[in-house]
Amino acid sequence: MIDINPDQRALFRALLSNPLKLRLAKAVSEGELRAEQIVRLCDRSRSTATAHLRELRKAGLIRTRRCGRTVFYHCASEEIRSWIDSFQPDSLDRQPV
């Protein structure tokens, strides 16, 4: 069982019920990505992609690291990675946590 408190779980579910945020979170859970890669992946404007990433980061689902001017996004923890990987948007009430 993944140790995510009920408040976090509710916030994560609310965020990941958005198909674009779920797509971004799943992509980042598969490995670290540069901001440019994520923009291409989501097929949206840079500002839209970064706004969604900002929300995921603020909630604690993902983290960033900088290397010079490049920003890399990665999953916040192995626990969260596992939870994101198992998340199914059509079964919000039955989600294992």
Side-chain angles (χ1 to χ4, degrees):
M1 183 172 209
I2 298 171
D3 187 26
I4 298 174
N5 76 50
D7 291 337
Q8 285 177 309
R9 191 177 321 154
L11 176 60
F12 293 172
R13 285 183 178 158
L15 285 170
L16 297 181
S17 66
N18 176 295
L20 181 55
K21 285 184 182 76
L22 177 59
R23 189 169 158 198
L24 295 174
K26 284 194 177 261
V28 171
S29 78
E30 292 175 9
E32 189 173 70
L33 294 172
R34 293 185 321 272
E36 309 82 56
Q37 292 172 299
I38 295 170
V39 169
R40 276 185 269 138
L41 175 73
C42 72
D43 196 30
R44 300 288 197 286
S45 70
R46 183 176 185 83
S47 61
T48 298
T50 56
H52 285 286
L53 289 166
R54 190 176 317 114
E55 288 182 58
L56 294 172
R57 186 176 52 81
K58 185 177 176 184
L61 285 165
I62 63 173
R63 291 191 179 146
T64 59
R65 76 173 177 89
R66 288 188 177 272
C67 184
R69 294 180 55 162
T70 304
V71 178
F72 293 90
Y73 291 86
H74 59 274
C75 205
S77 71
E78 286 301 317
E79 266 185 342
I80 291 174
R81 179 186 323 276
S82 176
W83 193 81
I84 289 170
D85 290 345
S86 69
F87 189 84
Q88 298 297 320
D90 58 342
S91 61
L92 292 175
D93 296 328
R94 298 173 289 157
Q95 186 60 39
V97 177

Coordinates of all heavy atoms in Angstrom, one line a residue:
M1 N 0.8 -1.2 0.0 CA 0.0 0.0 0.0 C 0.9 1.2 0.0 O 1.8 1.3 0.7 CB -0.9 0.0 1.2 CG -1.9 1.1 1.3 SD -3.0 0.9 2.6 CE -4.4 1.8 1.9
I2 N 0.5 2.2 -0.8 CA 1.3 3.4 -0.9 C 0.9 4.4 0.1 O -0.3 4.6 0.4 CB 1.1 4.0 -2.3 CG1 1.6 3.0 -3.4 CG2 1.9 5.3 -2.5 CD1 1.3 3.4 -4.8
D3 N 1.9 5.0 0.8 CA 1.6 5.9 1.9 C 1.4 7.3 1.5 O 2.3 8.1 1.5 CB 2.8 5.8 2.9 CG 2.5 6.5 4.2 OD1 1.3 6.7 4.5 OD2 3.4 7.0 4.9
I4 N 0.2 7.6 1.0 CA -0.2 8.9 0.6 C -1.4 9.3 1.4 O -2.4 8.6 1.4 CB -0.5 9.0 -0.9 CG1 0.7 8.6 -1.8 CG2 -1.0 10.4 -1.3 CD1 0.4 8.5 -3.3
N5 N -1.3 10.4 2.1 CA -2.4 10.8 3.0 C -3.7 11.1 2.2 O -3.6 11.4 1.0 CB -2.0 11.9 4.0 CG -2.0 13.2 3.4 OD1 -2.9 13.7 2.7 ND2 -0.9 13.9 3.6
P6 N -4.9 11.0 2.9 CA -6.1 11.2 2.2 C -6.3 12.5 1.5 O -6.9 12.6 0.4 CB -7.2 11.0 3.3 CG -6.5 10.2 4.3 CD -5.1 10.5 4.3
D7 N -5.7 13.6 2.1 CA -5.8 14.9 1.4 C -5.0 15.0 0.1 O -5.4 15.5 -0.9 CB -5.3 16.0 2.4 CG -6.3 16.3 3.5 OD1 -7.5 15.9 3.4 OD2 -5.8 16.8 4.6
Q8 N -3.8 14.4 0.2 CA -3.0 14.3 -1.0 C -3.7 13.5 -2.1 O -3.7 13.8 -3.2 CB -1.6 13.6 -0.7 CG -0.6 14.5 0.0 CD 0.6 13.7 0.3 OE1 0.6 12.6 0.9 NE2 1.8 14.3 0.0
R9 N -4.2 12.3 -1.7 CA -4.9 11.4 -2.6 C -6.0 12.2 -3.3 O -6.1 12.1 -4.5 CB -5.4 10.2 -1.8 CG -5.9 9.1 -2.7 CD -6.4 7.9 -1.8 NE -5.5 7.7 -0.7 CZ -5.9 7.2 0.4 NH1 -7.1 6.7 0.6 NH2 -5.1 7.0 1.4
A10 N -6.8 12.9 -2.6 CA -7.9 13.7 -3.2 C -7.4 14.7 -4.2 O -7.9 14.9 -5.3 CB -8.8 14.3 -2.1
L11 N -6.3 15.4 -3.8 CA -5.7 16.4 -4.7 C -5.2 15.8 -5.9 O -5.4 16.3 -7.0 CB -4.6 17.2 -3.9 CG -3.8 18.2 -4.7 CD1 -4.8 19.3 -5.3 CD2 -2.7 18.8 -3.9
F12 N -4.4 14.7 -5.7 CA -3.8 14.0 -6.9 C -4.9 13.5 -7.8 O -4.8 13.7 -9.1 CB -3.0 12.8 -6.4 CG -1.8 13.1 -5.7 CD1 -1.0 12.1 -5.1 CD2 -1.3 14.5 -5.5 CE1 0.1 12.4 -4.4 CE2 -0.2 14.8 -4.8 CZ 0.6 13.7 -4.2
R13 N -6.0 12.9 -7.3 CA -7.1 12.5 -8.1 C -7.7 13.6 -8.9 O -8.1 13.5 -10.1 CB -8.1 11.7 -7.3 CG -7.7 10.4 -6.9 CD -8.8 9.7 -6.1 NE -8.3 8.3 -5.8 CZ -8.8 7.6 -4.8 NH1 -9.8 8.1 -4.1 NH2 -8.4 6.4 -4.6
A14 N -7.9 14.7 -8.2 CA -8.5 15.9 -8.9 C -7.6 16.4 -10.0 O -8.1 16.6 -11.2 CB -8.8 17.0 -7.9
L15 N -6.3 16.5 -9.8 CA -5.4 16.9 -10.8 C -5.4 15.9 -12.0 O -5.4 16.3 -13.2 CB -4.0 17.1 -10.3 CG -3.8 18.3 -9.4 CD1 -2.4 18.3 -8.7 CD2 -3.9 19.6 -10.2
L16 N -5.3 14.6 -11.7 CA -5.1 13.6 -12.7 C -6.4 13.3 -13.4 O -6.3 12.5 -14.4 CB -4.4 12.4 -12.1 CG -3.0 12.6 -11.6 CD1 -2.4 11.4 -11.1 CD2 -2.1 13.3 -12.6
S17 N -7.5 13.8 -13.0 CA -8.7 13.6 -13.7 C -8.7 14.4 -15.0 O -9.5 14.2 -15.9 CB -9.9 13.9 -12.9 OG -10.0 15.3 -12.6
N18 N -7.8 15.4 -15.1 CA -7.6 16.2 -16.3 C -6.7 15.3 -17.2 O -5.6 15.0 -16.9 CB -6.9 17.5 -16.0 CG -6.6 18.3 -17.2 OD1 -5.7 17.9 -18.0 ND2 -7.2 19.5 -17.3
P19 N -7.2 15.0 -18.4 CA -6.4 14.1 -19.3 C -5.0 14.6 -19.7 O -4.1 13.8 -19.8 CB -7.3 14.1 -20.6 CG -8.7 14.4 -20.2 CD -8.5 15.4 -19.0
L20 N -4.9 15.9 -19.8 CA -3.5 16.4 -20.2 C -2.6 16.3 -19.0 O -1.4 15.9 -19.2 CB -3.6 17.9 -20.6 CG -2.3 18.5 -21.0 CD1 -1.6 17.7 -22.1 CD2 -2.5 20.0 -21.5
K21 N -3.1 16.6 -17.8 CA -2.2 16.5 -16.6 C -1.8 15.0 -16.4 O -0.7 14.7 -16.1 CB -2.9 17.1 -15.4 CG -2.9 18.6 -15.3 CD -3.5 19.0 -14.1 CE -3.6 20.5 -14.0 NZ -4.7 21.1 -14.8
L22 N -2.8 14.1 -16.6 CA -2.5 12.7 -16.5 C -1.4 12.3 -17.5 O -0.5 11.6 -17.2 CB -3.8 11.9 -16.7 CG -3.6 10.4 -16.6 CD1 -3.0 9.9 -15.3 CD2 -4.9 9.7 -16.8
R23 N -1.6 12.7 -18.7 CA -0.6 12.4 -19.8 C 0.8 12.9 -19.4 O 1.8 12.2 -19.6 CB -1.1 13.0 -21.1 CG -0.3 12.6 -22.3 CD -1.1 13.0 -23.5 NE -0.3 13.1 -24.7 CZ -0.6 13.8 -25.7 NH1 -1.7 14.5 -25.8 NH2 0.2 13.8 -26.8
L24 N 0.9 14.1 -18.9 CA 2.1 14.7 -18.5 C 2.7 13.9 -17.3 O 3.9 13.6 -17.3 CB 2.0 16.2 -18.2 CG 1.6 17.1 -19.3 CD1 1.4 18.5 -18.8 CD2 2.7 17.1 -20.4
A25 N 1.9 13.6 -16.3 CA 2.4 12.9 -15.2 C 2.9 11.5 -15.5 O 3.9 11.1 -15.1 CB 1.3 12.8 -14.1
K26 N 2.2 10.8 -16.4 CA 2.6 9.5 -16.8 C 3.9 9.5 -17.6 O 4.8 8.7 -17.4 CB 1.5 8.8 -17.6 CG 0.4 8.3 -16.7 CD -0.5 7.3 -17.4 CE -1.6 6.8 -16.5 NZ -1.3 5.4 -16.0
A27 N 4.0 10.5 -18.5 CA 5.3 10.7 -19.2 C 6.5 10.9 -18.3 O 7.5 10.3 -18.5 CB 5.1 11.8 -20.2
V28 N 6.3 11.8 -17.4 CA 7.4 12.1 -16.4 C 7.7 10.9 -15.5 O 8.8 10.7 -15.1 CB 7.1 13.4 -15.6 CG1 8.0 13.6 -14.5 CG2 7.0 14.6 -16.6
S29 N 6.6 10.1 -15.2 CA 6.9 9.0 -14.4 C 7.7 7.9 -15.1 O 8.3 7.0 -14.4 CB 5.5 8.3 -13.9 OG 4.9 7.6 -14.9
E30 N 7.8 8.0 -16.4 CA 8.6 7.0 -17.1 C 10.1 7.4 -17.2 O 10.9 6.6 -17.6 CB 8.0 6.8 -18.6 CG 6.7 6.2 -18.6 CD 6.1 6.2 -20.0 OE1 6.8 6.5 -21.0 OE2 4.9 5.8 -20.1
G31 N 10.4 8.6 -16.8 CA 11.7 9.1 -16.8 C 11.8 10.6 -16.9 O 10.9 11.2 -17.3
E32 N 13.0 11.1 -16.6 CA 13.2 12.5 -16.6 C 13.1 13.1 -18.0 O 13.6 12.5 -18.9 CB 14.6 12.8 -16.0 CG 14.8 14.3 -15.8 CD 16.1 14.5 -15.0 OE1 17.2 14.3 -15.6 OE2 16.0 14.9 -13.9
L33 N 12.4 14.2 -18.1 CA 12.2 14.9 -19.4 C 12.5 16.3 -19.4 O 12.3 17.0 -18.3 CB 10.8 14.7 -19.9 CG 10.2 13.3 -20.2 CD1 8.7 13.3 -20.5 CD2 11.0 12.7 -21.4
R34 N 13.1 16.9 -20.4 CA 13.3 18.3 -20.5 C 12.0 19.0 -20.9 O 11.1 18.4 -21.4 CB 14.3 18.6 -21.7 CG 15.7 18.1 -21.4 CD 16.7 18.5 -22.5 NE 16.2 18.5 -23.8 CZ 16.2 17.5 -24.6 NH1 16.7 16.3 -24.2 NH2 15.7 17.5 -25.9
A35 N 11.9 20.3 -20.5 CA 10.7 21.0 -20.7 C 10.3 21.0 -22.2 O 9.1 20.8 -22.6 CB 10.9 22.5 -20.3
E36 N 11.2 21.1 -23.1 CA 10.9 21.1 -24.6 C 10.3 19.8 -25.0 O 9.4 19.7 -25.8 CB 12.2 21.3 -25.4 CG 13.1 22.5 -25.1 CD 14.0 22.2 -23.9 OE1 14.8 21.3 -24.0 OE2 13.9 23.0 -22.9
Q37 N 10.8 18.7 -24.4 CA 10.2 17.4 -24.8 C 8.8 17.3 -24.3 O 7.9 16.7 -25.0 CB 11.0 16.2 -24.1 CG 12.4 16.1 -24.6 CD 13.2 15.1 -23.7 OE1 13.4 15.3 -22.6 NE2 13.6 14.0 -24.4
I38 N 8.5 17.8 -23.2 CA 7.1 17.8 -22.6 C 6.2 18.6 -23.5 O 5.0 18.2 -23.8 CB 7.1 18.2 -21.2 CG1 7.9 17.2 -20.3 CG2 5.7 18.4 -20.6 CD1 8.2 17.6 -18.9
V39 N 6.6 19.8 -23.9 CA 5.8 20.7 -24.8 C 5.4 19.9 -26.0 O 4.3 19.9 -26.5 CB 6.6 22.0 -25.1 CG1 5.8 22.8 -26.2 CG2 6.7 22.8 -23.8
R40 N 6.4 19.2 -26.7 CA 6.1 18.5 -27.9 C 5.2 17.3 -27.6 O 4.3 17.1 -28.4 CB 7.4 17.9 -28.5 CG 8.1 19.0 -29.4 CD 9.3 18.4 -30.1 NE 10.5 18.7 -29.1 CZ 11.4 17.8 -28.9 NH1 11.5 16.6 -29.4 NH2 12.4 18.1 -28.0
L41 N 5.4 16.7 -26.5 CA 4.5 15.5 -26.1 C 3.1 15.9 -26.0 O 2.2 15.2 -26.4 CB 5.0 14.9 -24.8 CG 4.2 13.8 -24.2 CD1 4.4 12.6 -25.1 CD2 4.6 13.6 -22.8
C42 N 2.8 17.1 -25.3 CA 1.4 17.4 -25.1 C 0.8 18.2 -26.2 O -0.4 18.4 -26.2 CB 1.3 18.2 -23.8 SG 1.9 19.9 -23.8
D43 N 1.6 18.6 -27.2 CA 1.0 19.3 -28.4 C 0.2 20.5 -28.0 O -0.9 20.7 -28.6 CB 0.2 18.3 -29.2 CG 0.0 18.8 -30.7 OD1 0.8 19.6 -31.2 OD2 -1.1 18.5 -31.2
R44 N 0.7 21.2 -27.1 CA 0.0 22.5 -26.6 C 1.1 23.6 -26.6 O 2.3 23.3 -26.8 CB -0.6 22.3 -25.2 CG -1.6 21.3 -25.0 CD -2.9 21.7 -25.7 NE -4.1 21.0 -25.3 CZ -4.4 19.7 -25.6 NH1 -3.5 19.0 -26.3 NH2 -5.5 19.1 -25.2
S45 N 0.7 24.8 -26.4 CA 1.7 25.9 -26.3 C 2.6 25.7 -25.1 O 2.2 25.0 -24.1 CB 1.0 27.2 -26.2 OG 0.4 27.3 -24.9
R46 N 3.7 26.3 -25.1 CA 4.7 26.2 -24.0 C 4.0 26.7 -22.7 O 4.2 26.1 -21.6 CB 5.9 26.9 -24.3 CG 7.0 26.8 -23.2 CD 8.3 27.5 -23.6 NE 9.3 27.3 -22.7 CZ 10.1 26.3 -22.6 NH1 10.0 25.3 -23.5 NH2 11.0 26.2 -21.7
S47 N 3.3 27.8 -22.8 CA 2.7 28.4 -21.6 C 1.6 27.4 -21.0 O 1.5 27.3 -19.8 CB 2.1 29.7 -21.9 OG 1.1 29.6 -22.9
T48 N 0.9 26.7 -21.9 CA -0.1 25.8 -21.4 C 0.5 24.6 -20.7 O 0.2 24.2 -19.6 CB -1.0 25.3 -22.5 OG1 -1.7 26.4 -23.1 CG2 -2.0 24.2 -22.1
A49 N 1.6 24.1 -21.3 CA 2.3 22.9 -20.8 C 2.9 23.3 -19.4 O 2.8 22.5 -18.4 CB 3.3 22.4 -21.7
T50 N 3.6 24.4 -19.4 CA 4.2 24.8 -18.1 C 3.2 25.1 -17.0 O 3.5 24.9 -15.8 CB 5.2 26.0 -18.3 OG1 4.5 27.1 -18.9 CG2 6.4 25.6 -19.2
A51 N 2.0 25.6 -17.4 CA 1.0 25.9 -16.4 C 0.6 24.6 -15.7 O 0.4 24.5 -14.5 CB -0.2 26.6 -17.0
H52 N 0.4 23.5 -16.6 CA 0.0 22.2 -16.0 C 1.1 21.6 -15.2 O 0.9 21.0 -14.1 CB -0.4 21.3 -17.2 CG -1.7 21.6 -17.8 ND1 -2.9 21.3 -17.2 CD2 -2.1 22.2 -19.0 CE1 -3.9 21.7 -17.9 NE2 -3.4 22.2 -19.0
L53 N 2.3 21.7 -15.7 CA 3.5 21.2 -14.9 C 3.6 21.9 -13.6 O 3.9 21.3 -12.6 CB 4.7 21.3 -15.8 CG 4.8 20.4 -17.0 CD1 6.0 20.9 -17.9 CD2 5.0 19.0 -16.5
R54 N 3.4 23.2 -13.6 CA 3.5 24.0 -12.3 C 2.5 23.4 -11.3 O 2.8 23.3 -10.1 CB 3.2 25.5 -12.6 CG 3.5 26.4 -11.5 CD 3.3 27.9 -11.8 NE 3.8 28.2 -13.1 CZ 3.1 28.6 -14.2 NH1 1.8 28.7 -14.1 NH2 3.6 28.9 -15.3
E55 N 1.3 23.1 -11.7 CA 0.3 22.6 -10.8 C 0.7 21.2 -10.3 O 0.5 20.9 -9.1 CB -1.1 22.5 -11.5 CG -1.8 23.8 -11.8 CD -3.1 23.6 -12.4 OE1 -4.0 22.9 -11.8 OE2 -3.3 24.2 -13.5
L56 N 1.2 20.4 -11.2 CA 1.7 19.1 -10.7 C 2.8 19.2 -9.8 O 2.9 18.4 -8.8 CB 2.1 18.2 -12.0 CG 0.9 17.8 -12.9 CD1 1.5 17.2 -14.2 CD2 -0.1 16.9 -12.3
R57 N 3.7 20.1 -10.0 CA 4.9 20.4 -9.1 C 4.4 20.9 -7.8 O 4.8 20.4 -6.7 CB 5.9 21.3 -9.8 CG 7.1 21.4 -9.0 CD 8.2 22.3 -9.6 NE 7.7 23.6 -10.1 CZ 7.5 24.7 -9.3 NH1 7.9 24.6 -8.0 NH2 7.1 25.8 -9.8
K58 N 3.5 21.9 -7.8 CA 3.0 22.5 -6.6 C 2.3 21.4 -5.7 O 2.4 21.5 -4.5 CB 2.0 23.6 -6.9 CG 1.5 24.4 -5.7 CD 0.6 25.5 -6.2 CE 0.1 26.2 -4.9 NZ -0.9 27.3 -5.3
A59 N 1.6 20.5 -6.3 CA 0.9 19.4 -5.6 C 1.9 18.3 -5.0 O 1.5 17.5 -4.2 CB -0.1 18.7 -6.5
G60 N 3.1 18.3 -5.5 CA 4.1 17.4 -5.1 C 4.2 16.1 -5.9 O 4.9 15.1 -5.5
L61 N 3.6 16.1 -7.0 CA 3.6 14.9 -7.9 C 4.9 14.8 -8.7 O 5.5 13.7 -8.9 CB 2.5 14.9 -8.9 CG 1.1 14.5 -8.3 CD1 0.0 14.9 -9.3 CD2 1.1 13.0 -8.0
I62 N 5.5 16.0 -9.1 CA 6.7 16.0 -9.8 C 7.6 17.0 -9.2 O 7.2 17.9 -8.5 CB 6.5 16.3 -11.4 CG1 5.9 17.7 -11.5 CG2 5.6 15.3 -12.0 CD1 5.8 18.1 -13.0
R63 N 8.9 16.9 -9.6 CA 10.0 17.8 -9.2 C 10.7 18.3 -10.4 O 10.7 17.7 -11.4 CB 10.9 17.2 -8.2 CG 10.2 16.9 -6.9 CD 11.2 16.5 -5.8 NE 10.5 16.2 -4.6 CZ 10.9 15.3 -3.7 NH1 11.9 14.6 -3.9 NH2 10.2 15.1 -2.6
T64 N 11.5 19.3 -10.2 CA 12.4 19.8 -11.2 C 13.8 19.9 -10.8 O 14.1 19.9 -9.6 CB 11.9 21.3 -11.7 OG1 12.0 22.1 -10.5 CG2 10.5 21.3 -12.2
R65 N 14.7 19.9 -11.8 CA 16.1 20.2 -11.5 C 16.6 21.1 -12.7 O 16.1 20.9 -13.8 CB 16.9 19.0 -11.3 CG 17.3 18.2 -12.5 CD 18.3 17.1 -12.2 NE 18.5 16.3 -13.4 CZ 19.5 16.6 -14.3 NH1 20.3 17.6 -14.1 NH2 19.6 15.9 -15.4
R66 N 17.5 21.9 -12.4 CA 18.1 22.8 -13.5 C 19.5 22.4 -13.8 O 20.2 22.0 -12.9 CB 18.0 24.2 -13.1 CG 16.7 24.8 -13.1 CD 16.8 26.3 -12.9 NE 15.5 26.9 -12.9 CZ 14.9 27.4 -14.0 NH1 15.5 27.3 -15.2 NH2 13.7 27.9 -14.0
C67 N 19.8 22.4 -15.1 CA 21.2 22.3 -15.5 C 21.4 23.4 -16.5 O 21.0 23.3 -17.6 CB 21.4 20.9 -16.1 SG 23.1 20.5 -16.6
G68 N 22.1 24.4 -16.0 CA 22.2 25.6 -16.8 C 20.8 26.3 -17.1 O 20.1 26.5 -16.1
R69 N 20.5 26.4 -18.3 CA 19.2 27.0 -18.6 C 18.1 26.0 -18.9 O 16.9 26.3 -19.1 CB 19.3 27.9 -19.9 CG 20.2 29.1 -19.6 CD 20.3 29.9 -20.8 NE 19.0 30.3 -21.3 CZ 18.8 31.3 -22.1 NH1 19.8 32.0 -22.6 NH2 17.6 31.6 -22.5
T70 N 18.5 24.7 -18.8 CA 17.5 23.6 -19.1 C 16.8 23.2 -17.8 O 17.5 23.0 -16.8 CB 18.3 22.4 -19.7 OG1 19.0 22.9 -20.9 CG2 17.3 21.3 -20.1
V71 N 15.5 23.0 -17.9 CA 14.8 22.5 -16.8 C 14.4 21.1 -17.1 O 13.8 20.8 -18.1 CB 13.5 23.4 -16.5 CG1 12.7 22.8 -15.4 CG2 13.9 24.8 -16.2
F72 N 14.6 20.2 -16.1 CA 14.2 18.8 -16.2 C 13.1 18.5 -15.2 O 13.2 19.0 -14.1 CB 15.4 17.9 -15.9 CG 16.5 18.0 -16.9 CD1 17.6 18.9 -16.8 CD2 16.6 17.1 -18.0 CE1 18.6 19.0 -17.7 CE2 17.6 17.2 -18.9 CZ 18.6 18.1 -18.8
Y73 N 12.2 17.7 -15.7 CA 11.1 17.3 -14.8 C 11.2 15.8 -14.5 O 11.5 15.0 -15.4 CB 9.7 17.6 -15.5 CG 9.4 19.1 -15.6 CD1 9.9 19.8 -16.7 CD2 8.7 19.7 -14.7 CE1 9.7 21.1 -16.8 CE2 8.5 21.1 -14.8 CZ 9.0 21.8 -15.8 OH 8.7 23.1 -16.0
H74 N 10.9 15.4 -13.3 CA 10.9 14.0 -12.9 C 9.9 13.7 -11.8 O 9.4 14.7 -11.2 CB 12.3 13.6 -12.5 CG 12.8 14.3 -11.3 ND1 13.5 15.5 -11.4 CD2 12.8 14.1 -10.0 CE1 13.8 16.0 -10.2 NE2 13.4 15.1 -9.3
C75 N 9.6 12.5 -11.6 CA 8.6 12.1 -10.6 C 9.2 12.4 -9.2 O 10.4 12.3 -9.0 CB 8.3 10.6 -10.8 SG 6.7 10.2 -10.1
A76 N 8.3 12.8 -8.3 CA 8.7 13.3 -7.0 C 9.3 12.1 -6.1 O 10.2 12.4 -5.3 CB 7.6 13.9 -6.3
S77 N 8.8 10.9 -6.3 CA 9.3 9.8 -5.5 C 8.9 8.5 -6.2 O 8.0 8.5 -7.1 CB 8.7 9.8 -4.1 OG 7.3 9.5 -4.1
E78 N 9.5 7.4 -5.8 CA 9.1 6.1 -6.3 C 7.6 5.7 -5.9 O 6.9 5.1 -6.7 CB 10.0 5.0 -5.8 CG 11.4 5.0 -6.5 CD 11.3 4.9 -8.0 OE1 10.5 4.0 -8.5 OE2 12.0 5.6 -8.7
E79 N 7.2 6.1 -4.7 CA 5.9 5.9 -4.3 C 4.9 6.6 -5.2 O 3.9 5.9 -5.7 CB 5.6 6.5 -2.9 CG 5.8 5.6 -1.8 CD 5.4 6.2 -0.5 OE1 5.3 7.5 -0.4 OE2 5.2 5.5 0.5
I80 N 5.1 7.8 -5.5 CA 4.2 8.6 -6.4 C 4.3 8.0 -7.8 O 3.3 7.9 -8.5 CB 4.5 10.1 -6.3 CG1 4.1 10.6 -4.9 CG2 3.8 10.8 -7.4 CD1 4.5 12.0 -4.6
R81 N 5.5 7.6 -8.3 CA 5.6 7.0 -9.6 C 4.7 5.8 -9.7 O 4.0 5.6 -10.7 CB 7.1 6.6 -9.9 CG 7.3 6.0 -11.2 CD 8.7 5.5 -11.4 NE 9.8 6.3 -10.8 CZ 10.3 7.4 -11.4 NH1 9.9 7.7 -12.6 NH2 11.2 8.1 -10.8
S82 N 4.8 5.0 -8.7 CA 4.0 3.7 -8.7 C 2.5 4.1 -8.7 O 1.7 3.5 -9.5 CB 4.3 2.9 -7.5 OG 3.5 1.8 -7.4
W83 N 2.1 5.1 -8.0 CA 0.7 5.5 -7.9 C 0.2 6.1 -9.3 O -0.8 5.7 -9.8 CB 0.5 6.5 -6.8 CG -0.9 6.8 -6.5 CD1 -1.7 6.0 -5.7 CD2 -1.8 7.8 -6.9 NE1 -3.0 6.5 -5.6 CE2 -3.0 7.7 -6.4 CE3 -1.5 8.9 -7.8 CZ2 -4.1 8.5 -6.7 CZ3 -2.6 9.8 -8.0 CH2 -3.8 9.6 -7.5
I84 N 1.1 6.9 -9.9 CA 0.7 7.5 -11.2 C 0.6 6.4 -12.2 O -0.3 6.4 -13.0 CB 1.8 8.5 -11.6 CG1 1.7 9.8 -10.8 CG2 1.6 8.9 -13.1 CD1 2.8 10.8 -11.0
D85 N 1.6 5.4 -12.2 CA 1.5 4.4 -13.2 C 0.3 3.5 -13.1 O -0.2 3.0 -14.1 CB 2.8 3.5 -13.1 CG 4.1 4.2 -13.5 OD1 3.9 5.3 -14.2 OD2 5.1 3.8 -13.2
S86 N -0.2 3.4 -11.9 CA -1.4 2.5 -11.7 C -2.7 3.3 -11.8 O -3.8 2.7 -11.8 CB -1.4 1.9 -10.3 OG -1.6 2.8 -9.3
F87 N -2.6 4.6 -12.0 CA -3.8 5.5 -12.0 C -4.6 5.2 -13.3 O -4.1 5.3 -14.4 CB -3.4 6.9 -11.9 CG -4.6 7.9 -11.7 CD1 -5.1 8.1 -10.5 CD2 -5.2 8.5 -12.8 CE1 -6.2 8.9 -10.3 CE2 -6.3 9.3 -12.6 CZ -6.8 9.5 -11.4
Q88 N -5.9 5.0 -13.1 CA -6.9 4.9 -14.2 C -7.9 5.9 -14.0 O -8.7 5.9 -13.1 CB -7.5 3.5 -14.2 CG -6.5 2.4 -14.4 CD -5.8 2.5 -15.7 OE1 -6.4 2.8 -16.8 NE2 -4.5 2.2 -15.7
P89 N -8.1 6.9 -15.0 CA -9.0 8.0 -14.8 C -10.5 7.5 -14.7 O -11.3 8.2 -14.2 CB -8.8 8.9 -16.0 CG -8.1 8.0 -17.0 CD -7.3 7.0 -16.2
D90 N -10.8 6.4 -15.3 CA -12.2 5.9 -15.4 C -12.5 5.1 -14.1 O -13.7 4.7 -14.0 CB -12.4 5.0 -16.6 CG -11.5 3.8 -16.7 OD1 -10.5 3.8 -16.0 OD2 -11.8 2.9 -17.4
S91 N -11.6 5.0 -13.2 CA -11.9 4.3 -11.9 C -11.4 5.0 -10.7 O -10.8 4.5 -9.8 CB -11.3 2.9 -12.0 OG -9.9 3.0 -12.1
L92 N -11.8 6.3 -10.7 CA -11.3 7.2 -9.6 C -11.7 6.7 -8.2 O -10.9 6.8 -7.3 CB -11.9 8.6 -9.7 CG -11.4 9.4 -10.9 CD1 -12.1 10.7 -11.0 CD2 -9.9 9.6 -10.8
D93 N -12.9 6.1 -8.1 CA -13.3 5.6 -6.7 C -12.7 4.3 -6.3 O -12.7 4.0 -5.2 CB -14.8 5.5 -6.7 CG -15.5 6.8 -6.9 OD1 -15.0 7.8 -6.5 OD2 -16.6 6.8 -7.5
R94 N -12.1 3.6 -7.3 CA -11.5 2.3 -7.0 C -10.0 2.3 -7.0 O -9.4 1.3 -6.9 CB -12.0 1.2 -7.9 CG -13.6 1.1 -7.9 CD -14.0 0.2 -9.0 NE -13.9 0.9 -10.2 CZ -13.7 0.3 -11.4 NH1 -13.7 -0.9 -11.5 NH2 -13.6 1.1 -12.5
Q95 N -9.4 3.5 -7.0 CA -8.0 3.6 -7.2 C -7.2 3.1 -6.0 O -7.5 3.5 -4.8 CB -7.6 5.1 -7.4 CG -6.2 5.3 -7.7 CD -5.7 4.6 -8.9 OE1 -6.5 4.6 -9.9 NE2 -4.6 4.1 -8.9
P96 N -6.3 2.1 -6.2 CA -5.6 1.6 -5.0 C -4.5 2.6 -4.6 O -3.8 3.2 -5.4 CB -4.8 0.4 -5.6 CG -4.7 0.7 -7.1 CD -5.9 1.5 -7.4
V97 N -4.5 2.8 -3.3 CA -3.5 3.7 -2.7 C -3.1 3.2 -1.4 O -3.6 2.6 -0.6 CB -4.1 5.2 -2.6 CG1 -3.0 6.1 -1.9 CG2 -4.4 5.7 -3.9

